[in-house]
Amino acid sequence: MTFKRGNLEKRVPDLPKQVKWCKKCVMSNQRPRIAFDENGICSACNNLEYKNNVVDWDAREKELITLLDKHRRSDGSWDVIVPSSGGKDSGFVAHQLKYKYGMNPLLVTWSPLKYTDIGIENFRNLCDAGFVNIKCTPNGIIHRKLARLSFEEFGDAFHVFVLGQVFFPIHMALRFGIKLMFYGENGEVEYAGHAEAVDKPYTDRVKDEDWIKGYLKGTTLDELMQYSYENKDYIDEKDLHDADLTFYKPPPREEMLDSGISRTYYYSHFHKWFPQENYYHCVEHTGFKPNPGRTEGTFSKYASLDDKTDGFHYYMRYIKFGLGRCVEDASHEIRDGHIMREEGIALMHRYEGEFPEKYFKDFLEYLGITEDHFWEVVDSWRLPHLWEKVNGEWVLKHPVA
Ligand SMILES: [Zn+2]
């Protein structure tokens, strides 16, 4: 398959044309791959019911210990990889694996596009808590071009981060002969999929077709680069075949299968997942610090705060799906019983879709684009069933109520 741009409907496929909001939380049916039941309850809420009432967490912990024992090494070498930017979730997982279960984790980091001060501090503090880290800082010229390309073609500059975050750790696992890898939570399975999917502890990076389609947005980097060479004046042919592109792509399929590292496990399968508790754990044990103020676009202070550009990832989600950053935090807090739905709605009205003003200039400079071009790209991603212009301003047609 070669990459074709297609019209907007093709680029943002399969969204139901009628917007529905979950009756329990504040998530809508516009979240890709989410399912709603006949009572108007989303799969994330139903999955949580399932996890609270059906899952035997003691048995899951035994499952975890069996898995860890299978990979545990007694010669002092690393036996598990934890991809981590220094945030509270991966910090929690690494700390638990090392100090509760006696594993020897290697932390692997794919650098944020543009570190925030608090992000780099948290990253260092986590290493200071007793971890070795291998970090890849990608070629800045190529990275910026790819970020701009991803912004224009996928509506998300952050996609270049996602590629490296997924593939760089697998390259490192192969390099060091480590056969086990742990992420924190599987957002897809936990929040979007059906309950049967919640019973799956891992994603297989080689075999899971849905994953490949969903995460690479139906294309490969090579196809995208080939397309861009013909269509974008800022990409040269010489950019296409460069060793510096290695970590944006998966290692060869056979190598992944032979080494047995195609699976990445999720800690949230084995342990009940509370972002707030991960936060408190890391404050106490890994020197984690929250933002001094609220994160733009939401009410929380502790979620994904290491990259100056990630506010635009959430802002573009808001444009593409009508779902920004606040909706995730508020829905999680409602499901965890920390706030009522009414409070969640009030928070949504207050913060959802707030423009990430603080780093706007940094973002434009990073991509090398003008403000006019930025808005041109933004508006090219507004689906007509979600957005309308009222008195010259874009507004959501069906906000949460
Ligand atoms: Zn829900």
Side-chain angles (χ1 to χ4, degrees):
M1 188 201 97
T2 41
F3 180 77
K4 281 206 188 76
R5 189 159 210 255
N7 61 24
L8 182 56
E9 302 283 332
K10 273 192 193 143
R11 283 183 282 154
V12 189
D14 302 333
L15 295 186
K17 293 291 170 281
Q18 198 191 349
V19 179
K20 282 186 195 156
W21 295 90
C22 175
K23 295 211 162 71
K24 268 195 184 170
C25 69
V26 287
M27 185 52 70
S28 87
N29 63 347
Q30 302 295 294
R31 195 185 206 279
R33 298 173 290 284
I34 203 164
F36 275 56
D37 71 10
E38 62 281 6
N39 302 314
I41 311 292
C42 78
S43 43
C45 287
N46 282 330
N47 289 349
L48 192 79
E49 286 285 306
Y50 174 79
K51 288 168 76 179
N52 283 341
N53 302 319
V54 181
V55 171
D56 177 346
W57 289 102
D58 291 335
R60 288 271 173 106
E61 191 182 22
K62 284 189 189 119
E63 228 182 284
L64 173 67
I65 292 168
T66 306
L67 177 70
L68 296 179
D69 283 346
K70 192 177 149 203
H71 294 277
R72 190 185 303 280
R73 289 179 185 164
S74 52
D75 61 356
S77 57
W78 297 304
D79 43 25
V80 55
I81 282 190
V82 179
S84 168
S85 60
K88 67 181 189 339
D89 294 333
S90 56
F92 173 73
V93 172
H95 198 267
Q96 291 274 302
L97 288 174
K98 179 158 185 159
Y99 293 106
K100 187 172 177 189
Y101 296 107
M103 299 295 283
N104 196 7
L106 172 66
L107 303 193
V108 172
T109 301
W110 177 253
S111 277
L113 276 65
K114 264 183 105 67
Y115 257 121
T116 58
D117 293 342
I118 191 91
I120 195 93
E121 195 182 340
N122 281 327
F123 169 75
R124 287 190 184 132
N125 288 348
L126 180 58
C127 298
D128 287 348
F131 296 96
V132 171
N133 173 281
I134 294 180
K135 190 200 293 193
C136 178
T137 306
N139 173 331
I141 295 173
I142 288 181
H143 207 54
R144 288 167 62 166
K145 287 182 182 185
L146 290 180
R148 175 172 171 181
L149 184 61
S150 300
F151 178 60
E152 290 170 350
E153 298 306 323
F154 298 143
D156 187 12
F158 206 62
H159 193 63
V160 287
F161 175 77
V162 175
L163 292 176
Q165 190 194 30
V166 169
F167 296 131
F168 177 60
I170 305 178
H171 285 278
M172 290 303 101
L174 288 170
R175 185 87 173 72
F176 292 102
I178 301 169
K179 296 182 189 304
L180 183 63
M181 190 183 305
F182 262 97
Y183 281 83
E185 63 181 337
N186 183 355
E188 275 312 307
V189 169
E190 308 256 327
Y191 307 139
H194 296 285
E196 315 89 73
V198 177
D199 285 332
K200 196 174 165 195
Y202 60 82
T203 294
D204 195 308
R205 305 297 191 202
V206 174
K207 292 174 188 157
D208 292 352
E209 276 298 311
D210 283 353
W211 181 83
I212 295 164
K213 272 190 218 145
Y215 274 79
L216 297 180
K217 301 185 195 276
T219 187
T220 67
L221 187 72
D222 287 337
E223 289 165 351
L224 181 65
M225 293 293 281
Q226 190 62 45
Y227 160 86
S228 64
Y229 165 59
E230 288 151 17
N231 294 280
K232 305 279 176 180
D233 57 7
Y234 56 90
I235 306 255
D236 299 319
E237 193 171 15
K238 66 178 163 48
D239 292 331
L240 300 179
H241 310 286
D242 196 311
D244 293 4
L245 290 175
T246 303
F247 299 138
Y248 297 94
K249 305 180 209 177
R253 196 184 146 87
E254 288 67 34
E255 245 181 88
M256 286 166 75
L257 284 171
D258 290 350
S259 68
I261 190 62
S262 68
R263 288 179 181 180
T264 54
Y265 285 86
Y266 298 99
Y267 198 76
S268 62
H269 173 81
F270 303 99
H271 187 280
K272 263 196 185 179
W273 192 253
F274 296 114
Q276 218 178 57
E277 285 176 21
N278 298 351
Y279 163 67
Y280 289 122
H281 184 92
C282 286
V283 167
E284 197 182 332
H285 297 286
T286 71
F288 185 80
K289 289 184 183 158
N291 250 343
R294 177 178 68 75
T295 306
E296 285 172 308
T298 187
F299 54 91
S300 75
K301 291 182 174 189
Y302 54 72
S304 51
L305 37 85
D306 40 36
D307 194 331
K308 288 182 178 176
T309 68
D310 80 350
F312 294 91
H313 166 67
Y314 289 98
Y315 187 72
M316 289 309 291
R317 267 182 44 140
Y318 180 64
I319 300 300
K320 288 192 280 187
F321 309 111
L323 299 169
R325 191 167 200 158
C326 183
V327 65
E328 295 289 342
D329 286 345
S331 295
H332 222 297
E333 300 270 299
I334 294 168
R335 290 180 206 126
D336 291 345
H338 296 141
I339 60 172
M340 304 293 289
R341 186 170 189 272
E342 291 66 35
E343 293 170 82
I345 291 173
L347 289 167
M348 289 279 282
H349 287 157
R350 194 142 174 218
Y351 300 119
E352 179 75 336
E354 180 184 29
F355 187 72
E357 195 63 55
K358 195 171 165 191
Y359 297 120
F360 187 32
K361 212 166 151 269
D362 295 81
F363 185 71
L364 295 177
E365 273 173 20
Y366 188 82
L367 297 191
I369 60 173
T370 62
E371 196 172 333
D372 284 347
H373 183 58
F374 172 84
W375 287 111
E376 199 178 86
V377 174
V378 168
D379 290 340
S380 77
W381 287 94
R382 291 184 199 271
L383 285 163
H385 77 281
L386 289 176
W387 292 96
E388 64 184 344
K389 252 189 178 171
V390 177
N391 301 326
E393 302 250 332
W394 286 108
V395 290
L396 280 177
K397 282 181 174 171
H398 310 284
V400 67

